[in-house]
Amino acid sequence: GAGVSQTPSNKVTEKGKYVELRCDPISGHTALYWYRQSLGQGPEFLIYFQGTGAADDSGLPNDRFFAVRPEGSVSTLKIQRTERGDSAVYLCASSLGQPGDTQYFGPGTRLTVL
Amino acid sequence: SQQGEEDPQALSIQEGENATMNCSYKTSINNLQWYRQNSGRGLVHLILIRSNEREKHSGRLRVTLDTSKKSSSLLITASRAADTASYFCARTNFGNEKLTFGTGTRLTIIP
């Protein structure tokens, strides 16, 4: 079946603009995760959904970052007033939602803030 | 912040040789997973090892886990050019499903 998909694959924006990044999880996966990866680093956790609710949002760096998953499937990561430091690859993953289940990653969205 | 470390940070070997990468962490874990990443984009899941397991195999991959030393290793046997990639370990703690990644090992296989 289809894997995790993310759109757009690349996004270039100007400092101060608003961006939305979309994630389509694997069908039937109840858990969805967002991570951010800066160049030369491992991914860092942002937020995780179990169904429609955010089970853990402790990784969101500040209140400019927000994520939703209104129907328990597709999720959107929203970044307001973007800053150059937000430039990174934003990765989405999904799992079946049981403790310890494997997380399957999408190809990521490369965000560049000029 | 990342709470795992891989070593070495970079490794270059001849095709056909074995590659070993190590991962250390600081707190107790529920499970530990190894991922491969090509060209800084999507991560491919390789192996998951649970805290009560000591060794797992998958094809040319062998993962060990030593919870007393808080370390894991990934062995790739008979390496191929296509194994060139970055390799990350990532752990979960009990009661929390977020993955905490290490810093990664950049593996280069020389044809």
Side-chain angles (χ1 to χ4, degrees), chain B residues 44-69:
Chain B
V44 174
H45 182 261
L46 298 176
I47 287 187
L48 181 153
I49 187 165
R50 302 192 186 279
S51 59
N52 61 353
E53 297 176 315
R54 291 296 168 258
E55 185 171 315
K56 286 189 82 169
H57 297 254
S58 176
R60 295 183 296 113
L61 307 180
R62 173 179 168 249
V63 167
T64 62
L65 178 64
D66 187 335
T67 53
S68 66
K69 295 181 179 178

Side-chain angles (χ1 to χ4, degrees), chain B residues 2-105:
Chain B
Q2 293 168 328
Q3 298 181 31
E5 296 289 334
E6 275 103 321
D7 83 275
Q9 290 188 337
L11 177 63
S12 292
I13 60 172
Q14 294 290 330
E15 191 169 19
E17 295 181 338
N18 297 340
T20 299
M21 290 158 273
N22 303 295
C23 167
S24 62
Y25 54 91
K26 297 179 181 177
T27 62
S28 59
I29 62 170
N30 181 27
N31 66 55
L32 189 144
Q33 305 181 44
W34 284 89
Y35 287 85
R36 185 184 73 225
Q37 186 176 46
N38 293 85
S39 306
R41 296 304 288 265
L43 290 135
V44 174
H45 182 261
L46 298 176
I47 287 187
L48 181 153
I49 187 165
R50 302 192 186 279
S51 59
N52 61 353
E53 297 176 315
R54 291 296 168 258
E55 185 171 315
K56 286 189 82 169
H57 297 254
S58 176
R60 295 183 296 113
L61 307 180
R62 173 179 168 249
V63 167
T64 62
L65 178 64
D66 187 335
T67 53
S68 66
K69 295 181 179 178
K70 293 185 168 55
S71 67
S72 175
S73 67
L74 170 67
L75 169 68
I76 303 174
T77 60
S79 62
R80 304 168 181 169
D83 295 330
T84 294
S86 292
Y87 291 82
F88 293 91
C89 69
R91 63 175 176 81
T92 61
N93 299 330
F94 289 98
N96 192 319
E97 295 308 302
K98 68 181 183 185
L99 288 170
T100 301
F101 283 84
T103 51
T105 293

Side-chain angles (χ1 to χ4, degrees), chain A residues 17-19 36 46-47 57-68 77-83 86:
Chain A
K17 299 290 188 182
Y18 167 83
V19 297
R36 177 170 72 171
L46 295 176
I47 184 170
D57 65 357
S58 62
L60 294 177
N62 52 59
D63 61 6
R64 295 186 298 104
F65 288 75
F66 190 70
V68 295
L77 178 66
K78 308 180 181 192
I79 310 174
Q80 298 177 321
R81 304 183 304 279
T82 52
E83 300 177 357
D86 299 335

Side-chain angles (χ1 to χ4, degrees), chain A residues 1-6 23-32 69 72-74 92-97 102-106:
Chain A
V4 177
S5 63
Q6 293 186 245
C23 173
D24 281 85
I26 293 171
S27 178
H29 280 194
T30 61
L32 185 147
R69 195 185 185 201
S73 179
V74 170
C92 177
S94 70
S95 77
L96 286 169
T102 298
Q103 295 181 28
Y104 296 92
F105 281 79

